[in-house]
Amino acid sequence: MKKYTAGLLICLAISIPAWFLGRLFPVVGGPVCAILIGMAIAPFIKGKERFRPGIAFTSKKILQYAVVLLGFGMNLSVVLEKGRQSLPIILATITTSILIAVLLFRLLKIPTKSAILIGVGSSICGGSAIAATAPVIEADDEEIAQSISVIFLFNIAAALIFPALGAALGLSNEGFGLFAGTAINDTSSVTAAAAAWDGIYGSNTLEAAAIVKLTRTLAIIPITLFLAFYRTKKEQSGSGNTFQIAKIFPFFVLFFLLASVLTTVFHLPATVTGPLKDLSKFFIIMAMAAIGTNTNLVTLVKTGMKPILLGLCCWIGISLVSLSMQSFLGIW
């Protein structure tokens, strides 16, 4: 661990203020704050070789540990029982986002890994889905930072716009909970939008929206497994040699599932799962701090327009499909 210490400490030093800034500005969130701080201080870090092993460990392994700990916030019986009404809408929005990502990836010639991360992040659960997917497809730090930044942009837009949009469309409290839970990417932004709606109408949609969001999070499992098998098949056909699935299999996703099963079977109380969920969020912030220090801001800006357009199209597509499915199912 000695070679990792310096890099871990610098990521920790960035993460602590980023954590508090994320609590202060929940719509922005700690991960985005960590990326921004990391990018800001990167030019001033001297002797980067000394920090490189710890930063790499944080951006890869700590990120995977964060996904595992995320599972302790998933009581599968509660999520499936209360979230089953939203399943058709969730499946429709995930399919829509992935189809849009595939189509625009070809039309706009967006780098493959960036398109995957933005498509998955838009359709499932923002930063958590990107955290789970990035190691499977071996995305580099700039691709991860770019996709997180795109997701963040539309999270803020949704949190600000959706309460007024829901009112203009005449959505019921139940309808807005489903809309927020299926069409907003990140948990903090879902919470912000639902809390704003509750504050205006004196309703209790926050819990319903959060459960829908947790139900979406379960899609991390099939998506990451599919990407692992797809990559294995592609590697085999490209090299002509046998490529072992074990080399890239996302075992951390199985541990995420195991954590969810343990929480469900043993009915782990909030006093146990709460700190583990907070640690998961902090680990994601640490990983984003590491990614920020390895990200070139100039490159990020120069290559940003096409990914932003992809994120916008995924966001609009998901929103329209969510509302259309509600209307079709008579929930509106």
Side-chain angles (χ1 to χ4, degrees):
M1 288 298 294
K2 187 177 180 180
K3 67 177 181 178
Y4 299 135
T5 302
L8 283 168
L9 287 176
I10 198 167
C11 293
L12 185 63
I14 295 170
S15 303
I16 292 171
W19 169 270
F20 287 107
L21 285 170
R23 299 289 290 270
L24 193 60
F25 305 104
V27 176
V28 177
V32 173
C33 293
I35 288 176
L36 294 175
I37 295 172
M39 288 193 296
I41 71 167
F44 305 101
I45 299 175
K46 305 297 182 183
K48 286 189 177 181
E49 288 303 319
R50 184 163 59 97
F51 299 102
R52 202 174 300 281
I55 289 173
F57 179 83
T58 305
S59 67
K60 299 295 188 292
K61 292 297 182 183
I62 296 293
L63 193 58
Q64 294 180 19
Y65 301 154
V67 175
V68 173
L69 291 173
L70 185 67
F72 287 103
M74 304 283 294
N75 186 311
L76 298 177
S77 60
V78 173
V79 169
L80 293 177
E81 178 185 350
K82 295 186 178 180
R84 61 185 174 184
Q85 181 189 34
S86 62
L87 278 176
I89 302 174
I90 290 171
L91 293 174
T93 53
I94 289 174
T95 303
T96 298
S97 181
I98 291 173
L99 288 176
I100 290 173
V102 170
L103 178 63
L104 291 185
F105 151 70
R106 296 182 183 278
L107 289 177
L108 300 177
K109 296 181 172 57
I110 298 171
T112 305
K113 293 176 183 178
S114 293
I116 291 172
L117 292 177
I118 293 169
V120 170
S122 298
S123 62
I124 301 177
C125 54
S128 299
I130 291 170
T133 305
V136 178
I137 63 174
E138 290 192 338
D140 63 33
D141 288 346
E142 288 191 356
E143 289 165 333
I144 296 171
Q146 189 172 66
S147 59
I148 290 282
S149 300
V150 170
I151 296 299
F152 150 74
L153 178 64
F154 296 108
N155 280 341
I156 289 183
L160 296 175
I161 294 170
F162 275 23
L165 178 61
L169 293 172
L171 290 178
S172 64
N173 293 331
E174 181 184 11
F176 185 79
L178 282 169
F179 182 43
T182 54
I184 303 178
N185 307 321
D186 194 71
T187 303
S188 59
S189 297
V190 171
T191 301
W197 180 273
D198 287 347
I200 295 169
Y201 297 103
S203 60
N204 189 27
T205 62
L206 179 55
E207 183 181 359
I211 290 172
V212 173
K213 179 66 174 59
L214 287 175
T215 308
R216 282 172 69 194
T217 303
L218 290 175
I220 285 176
I221 299 167
I223 288 289
T224 49
L225 294 179
F226 169 79
L227 288 171
F229 283 108
Y230 176 78
R231 185 179 160 209
T232 302
K233 186 177 179 180
K234 190 175 180 181
E235 294 281 353
Q236 286 177 341
S237 61
S239 64
N241 300 321
T242 301
F243 189 83
Q244 298 296 324
I245 181 66
K247 292 180 180 179
I248 61 169
F249 190 84
F251 288 101
F252 66 94
V253 175
L254 295 185
F255 289 123
F256 161 82
L257 180 59
L258 177 60
S260 304
V261 170
L262 288 174
T263 301
T264 305
V265 172
F266 294 103
H267 303 288
L268 296 182
T271 51
V272 174
T273 60
L276 294 174
K277 286 162 60 180
D278 286 339
L279 184 59
S280 171
K281 294 174 184 176
F282 188 77
F283 276 179
I284 288 178
I285 292 172
M286 274 192 73
M288 293 306 116
I291 287 165
T293 61
N294 281 334
T295 301
N296 186 309
L297 181 59
V298 175
T299 304
L300 198 65
V301 172
K302 282 183 177 178
T303 60
M305 290 310 298
K306 288 182 179 180
I308 288 173
L309 179 58
L310 172 58
L312 174 63
C313 292
C314 287
W315 181 53
I316 292 173
I318 288 170
S319 300
L320 291 175
V321 168
S322 175
L323 292 170
S324 299
M325 287 292 293
Q326 283 197 54
S327 179
F328 176 75
L329 295 171
I331 300 172
W332 198 311

